[in-house]
Amino acid sequence: MAEVLVFHHGHGLTSGVHEFAEGLRRAGHTVHIPDLYEGRVFDDLEEGVAYAQEVGFGTIIERGRAVADRLPGELVYAGFSLGVLPAQMLAQSRAGAKGALLFHACVPTSEFGGAWPEGVPVQIHGMDADEFFVAEGDLEAARALVLSTPDAELFLYPGDQHLFADTSLPSYDEQAAALMTERVLAFLEGVK
């Protein structure tokens, strides 16, 4: 079974993120879900992102690194949207990474030092008409990662919702979330 470090999205550590983590635990995985917002949860995504900007994206990433530093190196790093920043950074730069799960976002690998590390599998999940994922360059970065890395997979789901896998948000899409979870569980089963 895998050990997974999951980082929340711009709303904060919602009940939907907890529910996702609990589903992975029920499948036998060890899951850590730190609160990068120090207890704050925002109903409005724009307010949550404004808070992250105020704190600083670098600080959010460093909070993620600090959590990882207290855990074993052999982790799968997962992030929802904003949480992709620390997840992707750790997968690319921390020795022993077992894999990465990038939900609703992906940044160019150059942001964290260059090429994706050899032998570290990664899945990227997003909706094909999500304005944040498509228009802000995340889809382009995901496609570039897949082209450059044999261990990378991109899964696009029909729809325009950004955080479609969080049961606590209006953007939740049950069918897409179920398929994503199925793919994630298969990925985690394959992690060595």
Side-chain angles (χ1 to χ4, degrees), residues 100-105 122-127 130 133 142 153-157 162 164 176 179-181 183-184 187:
L101 296 161
L102 310 179
F103 307 120
H104 322 298
V122 56
Q123 281 188 348
I124 306 124
H125 299 265
M127 284 198 156
D130 168 7
F133 188 67
E153 296 178 284
L154 170 61
F155 296 104
L156 291 174
Y157 304 82
H162 183 54
F164 68 85
L179 181 54
M180 185 192 89
T181 300
R183 290 168 168 164
V184 164
F187 176 90

Short mmCIF file of all heavy atoms in Angstrom, two decimals, residues 100-105 122-127 130 133 142 153-157 162 164 176 179-181 183-184 187:
data_model
loop_
_atom_site.label_atom_id
_atom_site.label_comp_id
_atom_site.label_asym_id
_atom_site.label_seq_id
_atom_site.Cartn_x
_atom_site.Cartn_y
_atom_site.Cartn_z
N ALA A 100 3.12 11.02 -8.29
CA ALA A 100 2.41 12.29 -8.11
C ALA A 100 1.03 12.19 -8.74
O ALA A 100 0.86 11.58 -9.79
CB ALA A 100 3.19 13.44 -8.74
N LEU A 101 0.08 12.81 -8.07
CA LEU A 101 -1.30 12.92 -8.55
C LEU A 101 -1.64 14.40 -8.56
O LEU A 101 -1.69 15.04 -7.51
CB LEU A 101 -2.25 12.15 -7.62
CG LEU A 101 -2.02 10.65 -7.56
CD1 LEU A 101 -2.66 10.05 -6.31
CD2 LEU A 101 -2.56 10.00 -8.82
N LEU A 102 -1.84 14.95 -9.75
CA LEU A 102 -2.09 16.38 -9.92
C LEU A 102 -3.53 16.57 -10.39
O LEU A 102 -3.87 16.21 -11.51
CB LEU A 102 -1.09 16.97 -10.92
CG LEU A 102 0.39 16.62 -10.67
CD1 LEU A 102 1.27 17.25 -11.76
CD2 LEU A 102 0.84 17.04 -9.28
N PHE A 103 -4.35 17.13 -9.52
CA PHE A 103 -5.78 17.30 -9.80
C PHE A 103 -6.08 18.76 -10.12
O PHE A 103 -5.78 19.65 -9.33
CB PHE A 103 -6.62 16.87 -8.60
CG PHE A 103 -6.31 15.48 -8.10
CD1 PHE A 103 -5.87 15.29 -6.80
CD2 PHE A 103 -6.46 14.37 -8.91
CE1 PHE A 103 -5.59 14.02 -6.32
CE2 PHE A 103 -6.18 13.10 -8.46
CZ PHE A 103 -5.74 12.92 -7.15
N HIS A 104 -6.65 19.00 -11.28
CA HIS A 104 -7.16 20.31 -11.70
C HIS A 104 -6.08 21.33 -12.00
O HIS A 104 -6.39 22.50 -12.20
CB HIS A 104 -8.12 20.90 -10.66
CG HIS A 104 -9.01 19.90 -9.98
ND1 HIS A 104 -9.94 19.15 -10.68
CD2 HIS A 104 -9.12 19.52 -8.69
CE1 HIS A 104 -10.58 18.36 -9.83
NE2 HIS A 104 -10.10 18.57 -8.62
N ALA A 105 -4.82 20.93 -11.99
CA ALA A 105 -3.74 21.87 -12.26
C ALA A 105 -2.46 21.11 -12.62
O ALA A 105 -2.31 19.94 -12.29
CB ALA A 105 -3.48 22.77 -11.05
N VAL A 122 3.28 9.84 -12.82
CA VAL A 122 2.41 10.97 -12.52
C VAL A 122 1.12 10.85 -13.32
O VAL A 122 1.13 10.47 -14.47
CB VAL A 122 3.12 12.32 -12.79
CG1 VAL A 122 3.61 12.42 -14.22
CG2 VAL A 122 2.22 13.51 -12.47
N GLN A 123 0.03 11.16 -12.65
CA GLN A 123 -1.27 11.30 -13.31
C GLN A 123 -1.71 12.75 -13.14
O GLN A 123 -1.57 13.33 -12.07
CB GLN A 123 -2.33 10.41 -12.67
CG GLN A 123 -2.30 8.97 -13.06
CD GLN A 123 -3.51 8.21 -12.51
OE1 GLN A 123 -4.28 8.70 -11.67
NE2 GLN A 123 -3.69 7.00 -13.00
N ILE A 124 -2.29 13.30 -14.23
CA ILE A 124 -2.88 14.64 -14.20
C ILE A 124 -4.35 14.49 -14.58
O ILE A 124 -4.67 13.84 -15.59
CB ILE A 124 -2.17 15.59 -15.18
CG1 ILE A 124 -0.66 15.61 -14.92
CG2 ILE A 124 -2.73 17.00 -15.06
CD1 ILE A 124 0.15 15.27 -16.12
N HIS A 125 -5.24 15.09 -13.80
CA HIS A 125 -6.68 14.99 -14.02
C HIS A 125 -7.28 16.39 -14.10
O HIS A 125 -7.01 17.23 -13.23
CB HIS A 125 -7.34 14.25 -12.85
CG HIS A 125 -6.85 12.84 -12.66
ND1 HIS A 125 -7.49 11.76 -13.21
CD2 HIS A 125 -5.77 12.36 -12.00
CE1 HIS A 125 -6.84 10.67 -12.87
NE2 HIS A 125 -5.78 11.00 -12.14
N GLY A 126 -8.09 16.64 -15.13
CA GLY A 126 -8.77 17.91 -15.25
C GLY A 126 -9.93 17.81 -16.21
O GLY A 126 -10.03 16.85 -16.99
N MET A 127 -10.80 18.79 -16.19
CA MET A 127 -11.92 18.83 -17.13
C MET A 127 -11.51 19.57 -18.39
O MET A 127 -10.78 20.57 -18.33
CB MET A 127 -13.15 19.46 -16.49
CG MET A 127 -13.85 18.53 -15.53
SD MET A 127 -15.54 19.03 -15.17
CE MET A 127 -16.23 17.45 -14.69
N ASP A 130 -12.61 23.30 -18.35
CA ASP A 130 -12.37 24.06 -17.12
C ASP A 130 -11.56 25.29 -17.48
O ASP A 130 -10.42 25.17 -17.94
CB ASP A 130 -11.64 23.16 -16.12
CG ASP A 130 -11.08 23.90 -14.92
OD1 ASP A 130 -11.35 25.10 -14.75
OD2 ASP A 130 -10.35 23.26 -14.15
N PHE A 133 -8.06 25.37 -15.82
CA PHE A 133 -7.15 24.33 -16.29
C PHE A 133 -6.74 24.55 -17.74
O PHE A 133 -5.58 24.39 -18.09
CB PHE A 133 -7.82 22.95 -16.13
CG PHE A 133 -6.92 21.78 -16.40
CD1 PHE A 133 -5.85 21.50 -15.56
CD2 PHE A 133 -7.14 20.96 -17.49
CE1 PHE A 133 -5.02 20.40 -15.80
CE2 PHE A 133 -6.33 19.87 -17.74
CZ PHE A 133 -5.25 19.59 -16.89
N ALA A 142 0.47 20.14 -18.80
CA ALA A 142 0.21 18.71 -18.64
C ALA A 142 0.56 17.94 -19.91
O ALA A 142 1.18 16.88 -19.85
CB ALA A 142 -1.26 18.49 -18.27
N GLU A 153 0.55 10.36 -17.33
CA GLU A 153 -0.75 10.16 -17.95
C GLU A 153 -1.61 11.40 -17.71
O GLU A 153 -1.61 11.95 -16.59
CB GLU A 153 -1.49 8.97 -17.35
CG GLU A 153 -0.82 7.62 -17.56
CD GLU A 153 -1.62 6.52 -16.88
OE1 GLU A 153 -1.53 6.43 -15.63
OE2 GLU A 153 -2.34 5.79 -17.58
N LEU A 154 -2.35 11.80 -18.73
CA LEU A 154 -3.29 12.91 -18.63
C LEU A 154 -4.69 12.36 -18.86
O LEU A 154 -4.94 11.69 -19.86
CB LEU A 154 -2.96 13.98 -19.67
CG LEU A 154 -3.98 15.10 -19.86
CD1 LEU A 154 -4.19 15.90 -18.57
CD2 LEU A 154 -3.57 16.01 -21.01
N PHE A 155 -5.58 12.67 -17.93
CA PHE A 155 -6.98 12.26 -18.06
C PHE A 155 -7.85 13.51 -18.11
O PHE A 155 -7.84 14.32 -17.17
CB PHE A 155 -7.40 11.38 -16.88
CG PHE A 155 -6.66 10.07 -16.81
CD1 PHE A 155 -5.65 9.90 -15.88
CD2 PHE A 155 -6.97 9.04 -17.68
CE1 PHE A 155 -4.95 8.70 -15.82
CE2 PHE A 155 -6.27 7.84 -17.63
CZ PHE A 155 -5.26 7.67 -16.69
N LEU A 156 -8.58 13.65 -19.21
CA LEU A 156 -9.50 14.77 -19.37
C LEU A 156 -10.93 14.25 -19.25
O LEU A 156 -11.27 13.21 -19.83
CB LEU A 156 -9.30 15.44 -20.73
CG LEU A 156 -7.98 16.19 -20.89
CD1 LEU A 156 -7.84 16.69 -22.33
CD2 LEU A 156 -7.89 17.35 -19.91
N TYR A 157 -11.73 14.98 -18.52
CA TYR A 157 -13.13 14.62 -18.28
C TYR A 157 -14.01 15.66 -18.94
O TYR A 157 -13.67 16.85 -18.94
CB TYR A 157 -13.39 14.58 -16.76
CG TYR A 157 -12.46 13.64 -16.04
CD1 TYR A 157 -11.17 14.04 -15.67
CD2 TYR A 157 -12.85 12.34 -15.74
CE1 TYR A 157 -10.31 13.17 -15.03
CE2 TYR A 157 -11.99 11.47 -15.09
CZ TYR A 157 -10.71 11.88 -14.74
OH TYR A 157 -9.85 11.02 -14.12
N HIS A 162 -14.08 23.25 -12.19
CA HIS A 162 -12.68 23.23 -11.78
C HIS A 162 -12.42 22.18 -10.70
O HIS A 162 -11.61 21.29 -10.89
CB HIS A 162 -12.25 24.62 -11.31
CG HIS A 162 -10.80 24.71 -10.92
ND1 HIS A 162 -9.79 24.31 -11.77
CD2 HIS A 162 -10.20 25.10 -9.79
CE1 HIS A 162 -8.62 24.47 -11.18
NE2 HIS A 162 -8.84 24.95 -9.97
N PHE A 164 -13.99 19.46 -9.52
CA PHE A 164 -15.09 18.51 -9.70
C PHE A 164 -15.04 17.31 -8.76
O PHE A 164 -15.99 16.55 -8.66
CB PHE A 164 -15.15 18.02 -11.16
CG PHE A 164 -13.99 17.16 -11.59
CD1 PHE A 164 -13.98 15.80 -11.35
CD2 PHE A 164 -12.91 17.73 -12.26
CE1 PHE A 164 -12.92 15.01 -11.75
CE2 PHE A 164 -11.85 16.94 -12.67
CZ PHE A 164 -11.85 15.58 -12.41
N ALA A 176 -17.59 12.08 -12.93
CA ALA A 176 -16.17 12.35 -13.19
C ALA A 176 -15.32 12.03 -11.97
O ALA A 176 -14.23 11.45 -12.09
CB ALA A 176 -15.97 13.81 -13.61
N LEU A 179 -14.83 8.24 -11.62
CA LEU A 179 -13.85 7.72 -12.58
C LEU A 179 -12.44 8.14 -12.18
O LEU A 179 -11.50 7.34 -12.25
CB LEU A 179 -14.19 8.21 -13.98
CG LEU A 179 -13.27 7.73 -15.11
CD1 LEU A 179 -13.13 6.21 -15.14
CD2 LEU A 179 -13.78 8.27 -16.45
N MET A 180 -12.28 9.38 -11.74
CA MET A 180 -10.97 9.84 -11.29
C MET A 180 -10.48 9.00 -10.12
O MET A 180 -9.33 8.54 -10.09
CB MET A 180 -11.02 11.31 -10.88
CG MET A 180 -9.66 11.89 -10.50
SD MET A 180 -9.77 13.50 -9.69
CE MET A 180 -9.91 12.97 -7.98
N THR A 181 -11.35 8.75 -9.15
CA THR A 181 -10.97 7.97 -7.98
C THR A 181 -10.58 6.54 -8.38
O THR A 181 -9.60 5.99 -7.86
CB THR A 181 -12.10 7.96 -6.95
OG1 THR A 181 -12.36 9.33 -6.56
CG2 THR A 181 -11.74 7.15 -5.72
N ARG A 183 -9.26 5.62 -11.20
CA ARG A 183 -7.94 5.71 -11.82
C ARG A 183 -6.85 5.96 -10.78
O ARG A 183 -5.75 5.42 -10.88
CB ARG A 183 -7.94 6.82 -12.88
CG ARG A 183 -8.76 6.45 -14.10
CD ARG A 183 -9.01 7.62 -15.02
NE ARG A 183 -9.55 7.18 -16.31
CZ ARG A 183 -10.13 7.97 -17.17
NH1 ARG A 183 -10.28 9.27 -16.91
NH2 ARG A 183 -10.61 7.49 -18.31
N VAL A 184 -7.15 6.77 -9.79
CA VAL A 184 -6.19 7.05 -8.73
C VAL A 184 -5.89 5.77 -7.94
O VAL A 184 -4.73 5.47 -7.64
CB VAL A 184 -6.71 8.18 -7.81
CG1 VAL A 184 -5.93 8.24 -6.50
CG2 VAL A 184 -6.66 9.51 -8.53
N PHE A 187 -3.67 3.57 -9.89
CA PHE A 187 -2.31 4.15 -9.87
C PHE A 187 -1.62 3.78 -8.58
O PHE A 187 -0.46 3.33 -8.58
CB PHE A 187 -2.44 5.67 -10.01
CG PHE A 187 -1.15 6.42 -9.91
CD1 PHE A 187 -0.39 6.68 -11.05
CD2 PHE A 187 -0.69 6.93 -8.70
CE1 PHE A 187 0.80 7.41 -10.97
CE2 PHE A 187 0.48 7.64 -8.61
CZ PHE A 187 1.25 7.88 -9.75
#
